[in-house]
Amino acid sequence: MTQPSDKALVPFVSVDNMMRLVHHVGIEQILREIADYIEEDFKRWELFDKTPRVASHSDVGVIELMPTSDGEAYGFKYVNGHPKNTKEGLQTVTAFGLLADVYTGYPVLLSEMTLLTALRTAATSAMVAKHLAPKGSKTMAMIGNGAQSEFQTLAMKAIIGLENVRLYDIDPAATEKCARNLSKMGVNVTKCATPEEAIQGAQILTTCTADKKSATILSDNMVGAGVHINAIGGDCPGKTELAAGILERADVFVEFPEQTRIEGEIQQMADDFPVTEMWEVILGQKPGRRDDKQITLFDGVGFATEDFSALRYIRDRVTGSDFCEELDMLADPDDPRDLFGMVQRSNA
Amino acid sequence: MTQPSDKALVPFVSVDNMMRLVHHVGIEQILREIADYIEEDFKRWELFDKTPRVASHSDVGVIELMPTSDGEAYGFKYVNGHPKNTKEGLQTVTAFGLLADVYTGYPVLLSEMTLLTALRTAATSAMVAKHLAPKGSKTMAMIGNGAQSEFQTLAMKAIIGLENVRLYDIDPAATEKCARNLSKMGVNVTKCATPEEAIQGAQILTTCTADKKSATILSDNMVGAGVHINAIGGDCPGKTELAAGILERADVFVEFPEQTRIEGEIQQMADDFPVTEMWEVILGQKPGRRDDKQITLFDGVGFATEDFSALRYIRDRVTGSDFCEELDMLADPDDPRDLFGMVQRSNA
């Protein structure tokens, strides 16, 4: 057997190693650190090569590739979205991602991203809430208690000091699961029987449900003045969670308008519906929250730069550590023109 | 440590296992088998979800994602193209690829594709030559003796019975390398000092050079009547190998016109320059070679379906064998909504 050269080996972070890393760093600390990387990259927004995701749709779901580059590193994520999977005992969303060196084109990191996507989605929501939610927000309504709900709650605790979460799901078993997982995590949990009950006293309303169809999770009369809405479940064409009336009363903030107009809550609105891009708020070029009565709405769909930031964080964290293993994924003969000779010699 | 479930594990074919598989099956036999899969998929051309590759260009190279789907399986390849890499001791092209199940969105195979791309490119060239080259072609001029050259030669031997190859490269060391690798492979090798010498008596002219710029590897007066040109080196914008006069005299055959007009030899020609799609020739809907005087030209740039076919072949060949290992790449908790609980329990 021919030993592969160093350049042939790509560091790989397995699911098991990602879980070990989360415990090693601590769930709240890793959410804070990932949020910092995401915020840094929002500040460098204009230098990224941005493109809407490349989607392959079928009757039952979608498979997407989300590439981006900052000119030095290139990253992409593979992610599927299959809402019917849950009923079959499978994840709705699975993902993995890759970072490569733009100068050589060689991959430098392969990582699981099912967990990392949950972490970066929660970190993004909380980083955005830091800029938009009422100062001193202590209570969040969490509507939809699926795979993302605990991560969303803990990111809000870690990054903006959330103390109370009020849970509601159409399936009480999901709420039980979320409440159980959040016990002993340092946040007060209230299980609610209706969405109306869940939003009582909440400064932040997070919607994260999984049905691949337009539904009205929040109706117009449920949303009072001054709240921040973190709408992350409406993330593909034909899937929304909010009544259009809410969008009309709110100031809407987005990641990448070209993608959000296709996939987000604002797909219900006219093509020129006014939105503010988060990178401009983060850089201080546009106002975020202006007053106590304003409804701010983050229409989050997830953007490629957030995955790029998360992969960049993981690369910086795991390179040279035992949180990754080396994968023999690249053929790299000593003489680059002698690929065939490498194959021949491997049989010796 | 939580043991991952079966569904969390993705079969992975490393470079080492790909080389073992090549030796196990035999280089000529594996080229024939891959060519059969590629030809099968050209026959199913119309059902594929086809899109030009998604490219991220930099000053020194390109990184591309090439997705496609037949409705049951989804595949994509990551591939870079960095001509300057050779001087730095690196591969110009490295690649890996993935197959997934459209119904669940779950990946089912991850594979190295640097070697597999060389195999599928050679298999495609020879499968096309079977349809277009003069019957009984025995001699090929191989202009450009880099990493693809031995694979091209052996695919032509395996699939159309090539007996003689005449090698030329601007760098005599590349020709020496290719001749050495092809000795004892059952093909007569002639090392040539000029392109003019290389094409003497050849029925097939293969051009496969690596400079990322337009060059004239074959000039108009070098190409006589009746030959088949297999032009595979012109494969990105600004990179061509043939004089425009040759294209005007030849009948040009392509994989996917939308991509070839951007990347192939025909980027030199008007947007409506007439071409024939190979799938129509393979299905017998359009003529291929009509007479002994005709110049046929395959303007090959490599298309996503060919990678899909190659991945499909590898999946069928290696599933359940020791030519792959299991990669813990997908988080798959027993309760799909309990991703967070899986993380918590992994710390127990």
Side-chain angles (χ1 to χ4, degrees):
Chain A
M1 171 179 147
T2 302
Q3 287 303 319
S5 84
D6 279 0
K7 292 183 181 114
L9 299 177
V10 179
F12 166 63
V13 181
S14 66
V15 175
D16 189 55
N17 272 324
M18 188 64 76
M19 294 194 294
R20 285 180 56 228
L21 183 68
V22 169
H23 293 300
H24 175 76
V25 178
I27 177 80
E28 292 191 40
Q29 181 62 17
I30 203 169
L31 285 162
R32 270 191 293 265
E33 291 180 6
I34 293 172
D36 287 344
Y37 271 68
I38 292 170
E39 191 168 27
E40 269 175 35
D41 285 340
F42 267 95
K43 289 180 180 167
R44 306 190 298 148
W45 187 255
E46 287 173 290
L47 69 79
F48 279 92
D49 184 8
K50 292 175 287 289
T51 173
R53 54 186 114 199
V54 182
S56 178
H57 292 275
S58 71
D59 292 345
V60 293
V62 61
I63 295 176
E64 300 174 327
L65 300 174
M66 301 168 67
T68 190
S69 167
D70 69 358
E72 288 188 9
Y74 167 95
F76 82 88
K77 179 167 82 167
Y78 168 102
V79 60
N80 74 299
H82 284 67
K84 61 87 192 162
N85 272 7
T86 305
K87 290 191 207 84
E88 299 168 13
L90 299 174
Q91 287 283 293
T92 298
V93 171
T94 66
F96 73 93
L98 182 107
L99 270 189
D101 177 6
V102 167
Y103 182 72
T104 62
Y106 275 46
V108 297
L109 178 75
L110 179 72
S111 178
E112 87 79 33
M113 286 192 79
T114 307
L115 272 171
L116 190 57
T117 296
L119 293 167
R120 76 85 161 129
T121 302
T124 300
S125 283
M127 183 275 289
V128 167
K130 184 180 74 176
H131 291 279
L132 298 181
K135 290 294 164 228
S137 292
K138 296 293 175 197
T139 303
M140 175 169 81
M142 180 77 230
I143 299 178
N145 302 154
Q148 308 286 318
S149 57
E150 299 93 341
F151 297 96
Q152 286 283 326
T153 302
L154 291 177
M156 293 290 182
K157 174 175 187 290
I159 291 161
I160 65 161
L162 191 83
E163 294 177 359
N164 314 296
V165 65
R166 301 176 64 80
L167 305 178
Y168 170 75
D169 196 288
I170 195 166
D171 178 0
T175 301
E176 285 298 332
K177 178 267 320 179
C178 182
R180 188 170 61 241
N181 285 338
L182 288 175
S183 67
K184 302 181 193 164
M185 296 302 291
V187 61
N188 303 311
V189 177
T190 306
K191 295 179 276 185
C192 303
T194 64
E196 289 76 7
E197 183 186 347
I199 65 177
Q200 282 173 24
Q203 296 90 30
I204 299 175
L205 315 184
T206 292
T207 56
C208 184
T209 62
D211 268 339
K212 193 184 179 177
K213 59 174 189 244
S214 293
T216 303
I217 310 297
L218 289 181
S219 60
D220 197 8
N221 63 7
M222 288 168 68
V223 176
V227 300
H228 173 64
I229 302 174
N230 174 42
I232 60 169
D235 63 357
C236 68
K239 179 165 178 247
T240 59
E241 296 181 320
L242 305 183
I246 299 173
L247 302 178
E248 281 159 10
R249 290 162 56 210
D251 288 309
V252 177
F253 298 83
V254 303
E255 293 141 312
F256 183 54
E258 289 85 334
Q259 182 174 307
T260 313
R261 289 189 194 280
I262 297 168
E263 301 176 357
E265 296 299 329
I266 57 170
Q267 66 185 273
Q268 307 176 62
M269 314 308 278
D271 289 348
D272 61 351
F273 182 79
V275 298
T276 304
E277 296 184 50
M278 273 313 300
W279 70 272
E280 295 180 288
V281 175
I282 291 166
L283 278 178
Q285 297 178 359
K286 293 274 176 72
R289 173 165 289 274
R290 282 187 310 261
D291 63 58
D292 292 350
K293 299 290 183 191
Q294 182 189 16
I295 299 171
T296 51
L297 193 163
F298 174 50
D299 190 359
V301 296
F303 188 58
T305 59
E306 295 153 22
D307 299 306
F308 180 91
S309 310
L311 286 169
R312 202 164 62 75
Y313 169 76
I314 294 296
R315 180 197 58 191
D316 291 352
R317 258 288 180 184
V318 308
T319 300
S321 80
D322 69 352
F323 291 105
C324 59
E325 54 204 280
E326 302 287 322
L327 217 56
D328 168 29
M329 196 164 81
L330 303 178
D332 191 64
D334 296 335
D335 173 356
R337 293 176 306 193
D338 200 10
L339 191 62
F340 188 83
M342 183 183 79
V343 178
Q344 274 186 319
R345 287 188 291 278
S346 74
N347 202 27
Chain B
M1 173 179 146
T2 302
Q3 288 302 318
S5 82
D6 279 0
K7 291 182 181 115
L9 300 176
V10 179
F12 167 63
V13 180
S14 66
V15 176
D16 190 54
N17 272 325
M18 188 64 76
M19 294 195 293
R20 285 180 58 229
L21 183 68
V22 169
H23 293 300
H24 175 75
V25 177
I27 178 79
E28 292 190 39
Q29 181 62 18
I30 203 168
L31 285 162
R32 271 190 293 267
E33 292 180 6
I34 292 172
D36 286 344
Y37 272 68
I38 293 170
E39 191 168 27
E40 269 175 34
D41 285 341
F42 267 96
K43 288 179 181 168
R44 306 190 299 147
W45 187 256
E46 288 174 289
L47 69 79
F48 278 92
D49 184 7
K50 290 174 290 288
T51 172
R53 54 186 113 199
V54 183
S56 176
H57 292 275
S58 70
D59 292 344
V60 292
V62 62
I63 295 176
E64 301 174 327
L65 300 174
M66 301 168 69
T68 192
S69 166
D70 69 359
E72 289 189 8
Y74 167 94
F76 82 88
K77 178 166 83 168
Y78 168 103
V79 60
N80 74 300
H82 285 68
K84 61 87 191 161
N85 272 7
T86 305
K87 290 192 206 85
E88 299 168 12
L90 299 174
Q91 288 282 294
T92 298
V93 171
T94 66
F96 72 94
L98 182 107
L99 269 189
D101 177 7
V102 167
Y103 182 72
T104 64
Y106 274 46
V108 297
L109 178 75
L110 179 73
S111 177
E112 86 80 31
M113 286 193 80
T114 308
L115 271 172
L116 190 57
T117 296
L119 293 167
R120 76 84 160 127
T121 302
T124 300
S125 284
M127 182 276 287
V128 167
K130 185 180 73 176
H131 290 279
L132 298 181
K135 289 294 165 229
S137 292
K138 295 294 176 199
T139 302
M140 175 169 82
M142 181 75 230
I143 298 177
N145 301 155
Q148 309 286 320
S149 56
E150 299 93 341
F151 297 95
Q152 287 282 327
T153 302
L154 292 177
M156 293 290 182
K157 174 175 186 289
I159 291 162
I160 64 160
L162 191 83
E163 294 177 358
N164 314 296
V165 65
R166 301 176 65 82
L167 305 178
Y168 170 76
D169 196 288
I170 196 168
D171 178 0
T175 302
E176 285 298 332
K177 178 268 315 180
C178 183
R180 188 171 60 242
N181 285 339
L182 287 176
S183 66
K184 303 182 191 162
M185 297 301 291
V187 61
N188 303 311
V189 177
T190 305
K191 295 179 275 185
C192 301
T194 64
E196 289 77 6
E197 183 187 347
I199 65 177
Q200 282 173 25
Q203 295 91 31
I204 300 175
L205 314 183
T206 292
T207 56
C208 184
T209 62
D211 269 339
K212 193 184 178 176
K213 60 175 189 244
S214 292
T216 304
I217 309 297
L218 288 181
S219 60
D220 197 8
N221 62 5
M222 288 169 68
V223 177
V227 300
H228 174 64
I229 302 174
N230 174 42
I232 61 169
D235 62 357
C236 68
K239 180 166 176 246
T240 58
E241 297 180 320
L242 304 184
I246 299 172
L247 303 178
E248 281 159 11
R249 289 162 58 210
D251 288 310
V252 177
F253 298 81
V254 303
E255 292 140 315
F256 183 54
E258 289 85 335
Q259 182 173 306
T260 313
R261 290 189 193 280
I262 297 168
E263 301 175 357
E265 296 298 328
I266 58 170
Q267 66 185 273
Q268 307 176 62
M269 314 307 278
D271 288 348
D272 61 352
F273 182 78
V275 297
T276 304
E277 295 184 52
M278 272 314 299
W279 69 273
E280 296 181 286
V281 176
I282 291 165
L283 278 178
Q285 297 177 358
K286 293 275 177 73
R289 173 166 289 273
R290 282 187 310 261
D291 62 58
D292 292 349
K293 299 290 182 192
Q294 183 189 17
I295 299 170
T296 51
L297 193 163
F298 174 51
D299 189 0
V301 296
F303 187 59
T305 59
E306 294 152 23
D307 299 306
F308 179 91
S309 310
L311 286 169
R312 203 164 61 76
Y313 169 76
I314 294 296
R315 179 197 58 192
D316 290 352
R317 259 286 180 184
V318 308
T319 300
S321 79
D322 69 351
F323 291 106
C324 60
E325 54 203 281
E326 302 287 321
L327 217 56
D328 168 30
M329 196 164 81
L330 303 178
D332 191 63
D334 296 336
D335 173 356
R337 291 177 307 193
D338 200 10
L339 191 62
F340 187 84
M342 183 183 80
V343 177
Q344 274 186 320
R345 287 187 292 277
S346 75
N347 203 27

